[in-house]
Amino acid sequence: IRQNFLLLRQQVVTLQSFVRAQVVRSMMPREVKKASVRVLKANRQARLDPSQTLGARMAWALAEIDRQPSMGKITRAVMTLEIATRLCKKSCFDLSRADAMKILIKTAQSCNRSLPHIELIQYILKTFVNVARHEELIHAIATEHAGGLYIDLLQTFRDKEEIFQSAVSLLKSSLAHNGGLLKHMQGSGESIKRLKQIKEIKAKKEGAQLMAAPTRLNRTKARANPNKQKHSHR
């Protein structure tokens, strides 16, 4: 009798769960429903094709970067790394142990201000930020070479807000975690000098923007009220 009772209770719980799930799905916003459908579709495709699983795509991306391919291929590989490290902590560990980190730093240092290169740098920094979310892995993005990269990016892309903010965040995390990096930068003097120059340039630009703001506001008002301006001249 007890076994029958337990079986019946399990069936009731299952039915309740099913009904609750249906109610929740019916109340979901349209965007969430579309995202849910995409996730289910991706899961079905991954089960049919094992090469599409996150782990397999991560392994492909690491192998592709080790080959140091063309810019287009390495961008696709880094985009895959960014997704994998954002969604899976294990992928962050895999990346931190691989030689790909050094290759990514070297690749970012070789980039210029062209749009394809800017896109690649953004994905590299996003990947590093994903890794830095895990305290035990910060050492992977806090090396001397990485610190040099962040300063290079701050100087070269100080007008690109996304790159600039990501580089600032990574540099702060690196200095807080790696005392040796901080001593190295303080000892060299060159890094401190460059950071001061970047700060001065940013301050001048922000000051100029603040000075220009009232002028732009007056021009906007003038365009919005042309009749009022004519009457004032009369």
Side-chain angles (χ1 to χ4, degrees), residues 124-166:
I124 290 175
L125 292 180
K126 286 179 180 178
T127 302
F128 285 7
V129 169
N130 294 339
V131 174
R133 288 204 315 264
H134 310 288
E135 188 174 352
E136 62 269 39
L137 297 178
I138 294 179
H139 66 88
I141 57 94
T143 62
E144 288 186 11
H145 290 299
L149 168 66
Y150 305 145
I151 295 176
D152 289 342
L153 296 179
L154 288 174
Q155 194 165 34
T156 306
F157 298 96
R158 56 182 178 270
D159 58 330
K160 304 296 182 183
E161 196 63 23
E162 183 178 344
I163 292 177
F164 189 86
Q165 292 299 331
S166 296

Side-chain angles (χ1 to χ4, degrees), residues 3-13:
Q3 288 182 346
N4 291 336
F5 169 75
L6 292 175
L7 179 61
L8 180 61
R9 187 176 67 174
Q10 182 61 41
Q11 291 172 344
V12 170
V13 170

Side-chain angles (χ1 to χ4, degrees), residues 162-231:
E162 183 178 344
I163 292 177
F164 189 86
Q165 292 299 331
S166 296
V168 167
S169 174
L170 289 166
L171 183 59
K172 287 173 63 177
S173 297
S174 299
L175 293 174
H177 179 82
N178 187 350
L181 175 60
L182 179 59
K183 290 180 181 178
H184 171 75
M185 292 178 61
Q186 290 173 336
S188 68
E190 181 64 25
S191 299
I192 304 298
K193 180 180 177 181
R194 292 172 66 189
L195 288 172
K196 287 181 177 179
Q197 290 175 344
I198 295 166
K199 182 180 178 181
E200 290 172 0
I201 293 171
K202 290 286 286 185
K204 287 180 181 178
K205 183 178 179 181
E206 290 173 0
Q209 290 174 342
L210 288 174
M211 293 291 289
T215 304
R216 289 198 298 268
L217 182 60
N218 291 334
R219 289 175 182 172
T220 303
K221 288 181 177 179
R223 285 196 295 268
N225 303 295
N227 294 330
K228 185 177 180 180
Q229 190 176 21
K230 290 179 181 178
H231 288 310

